[in-house]
Amino acid sequence: MSLKHKPTWRSAVIVAISAVILAGCTTPMNRLTPESKKVHLRMDSGFNADNCIWVGEVAGNEGHWYSYLFFPNDVLIEGAMYDIKNHANEIGANTVFVVAPQDFTTSFSIMGSAYICEQLEP
């Protein structure tokens, strides 16, 4: 009896699925839209919303119970930041004051207040 392993189509499928899963480990599932790049996230105590117009609450998250094992924390955080910026852009905001980053076991979530603020010229 020969102990040689003969590759089959099943082996090829397993290798392909493994490659896709591992490739997904380096980038978040949420993608930043080009329009959302202009949205600023603020977490600092120097943020003053006196000259801004509040437009709503927004949240962003990345990770799920079935996928969190494949993503390092920095990718989860990046995906949540992309998600909240996209939501803020959808409601016309250009600034989000982040009020509650939440690190859960299986995901990362960011919540904040979205504003339209005058952009200061440099």
Side-chain angles (χ1 to χ4, degrees), residues 61-76:
N61 62 63
E62 179 75 50
H64 302 282
W65 65 269
Y66 54 84
S67 65
Y68 77 98
L69 291 172
F70 303 111
F71 297 100
N73 286 342
D74 60 334
V75 172
L76 293 175

Side-chain angles (χ1 to χ4, degrees), residues 11-80:
S11 298
V13 170
I14 290 172
V15 168
I17 290 172
S18 298
V20 169
I21 289 172
L22 290 175
C25 296
T26 59
T27 59
M29 299 292 287
N30 291 315
R31 303 284 187 220
L32 186 64
T33 64
E35 301 82 21
S36 300
K37 289 181 180 181
K38 66 178 169 64
V39 176
H40 299 280
L41 297 182
R42 300 288 303 264
M43 293 188 217
D44 57 285
S45 60
F47 175 69
N48 183 349
D50 288 346
N51 295 320
C52 301
I53 300 168
W54 182 81
V55 292
E57 300 296 331
V58 288
N61 62 63
E62 179 75 50
H64 302 282
W65 65 269
Y66 54 84
S67 65
Y68 77 98
L69 291 172
F70 303 111
F71 297 100
N73 286 342
D74 60 334
V75 172
L76 293 175
I77 293 167
E78 182 179 22

Side-chain angles (χ1 to χ4, degrees), residues 1 5 33 38 91 107 118-119 121:
M1 244 193 214
H5 176 68
T33 64
K38 66 178 169 64
I91 62 173
S107 66
E118 288 185 27
Q119 296 299 314
E121 295 298 324

